[in-house]
Amino acid sequence: MNDALALLAVSQLVCIGGLAYLYMQVQSLRASGRHRRRPGATRVHHIEQSPAAPARATENAARQAYAAQAPAGPAGRADAAAIASRMSELGIDIPALARRMRKSEEEVRLLLRRQGAQR
């Protein structure tokens, strides 16, 4: 037990000595003036522009692009039945696919409809 305590004390002294050495090295670097920051790249040009203007243009473009692709509304029971019948014609087992994907059957039907499998 005494040997373990002695080794622990010696290892702590070595660590404290290492930290003191590193601290002294950092202080000497600061004193020598070698810590100056490099000037910025000369190829970088700052643009004097409001950051909100490009964001609004991007937002409007995204809204227009996705507005045409948005579905008309939630799928009704007739639509779900049509999808299920089409999947059975294609030989796709939706419940088995849903279990493998760890999703609900309705989510799988929606994914298949979006991928164009119901056509």
Side-chain angles (χ1 to χ4, degrees):
M1 184 71 169
N2 289 335
D3 293 337
L5 289 175
L7 286 174
L8 180 64
V10 168
S11 68
Q12 287 180 347
L13 286 174
V14 168
C15 287
I16 290 172
L19 287 174
Y21 173 75
L22 290 174
Y23 180 76
M24 291 176 62
Q25 291 296 318
V26 168
Q27 293 303 319
S28 68
L29 284 175
R30 285 185 179 172
S32 69
R34 294 178 50 185
H35 70 286
R36 292 184 211 130
R37 292 186 181 207
R38 295 185 305 187
T42 57
R43 292 184 286 171
V44 176
H45 300 286
H46 297 285
I47 299 174
E48 304 296 328
Q49 187 180 37
S50 171
R56 283 190 201 127
T58 305
E59 181 182 340
N60 290 337
R63 189 176 294 129
Q64 289 174 354
Y66 288 111
Q69 297 176 2
R77 292 187 184 268
D79 192 27
I83 292 170
S85 65
R86 180 70 176 143
M87 293 303 112
S88 62
E89 289 174 11
L90 292 173
I92 299 173
D93 186 16
I94 292 180
L97 187 59
R99 282 191 299 274
R100 280 196 346 215
M101 293 175 66
R102 296 183 181 161
K103 296 190 179 283
S104 69
E105 291 181 25
E106 189 61 34
E107 287 176 317
V108 171
R109 286 187 183 103
L110 182 63
L111 287 171
L112 289 171
R113 185 179 340 120
R114 284 184 181 166
Q115 296 299 320
Q118 71 152 1
R119 293 180 188 162

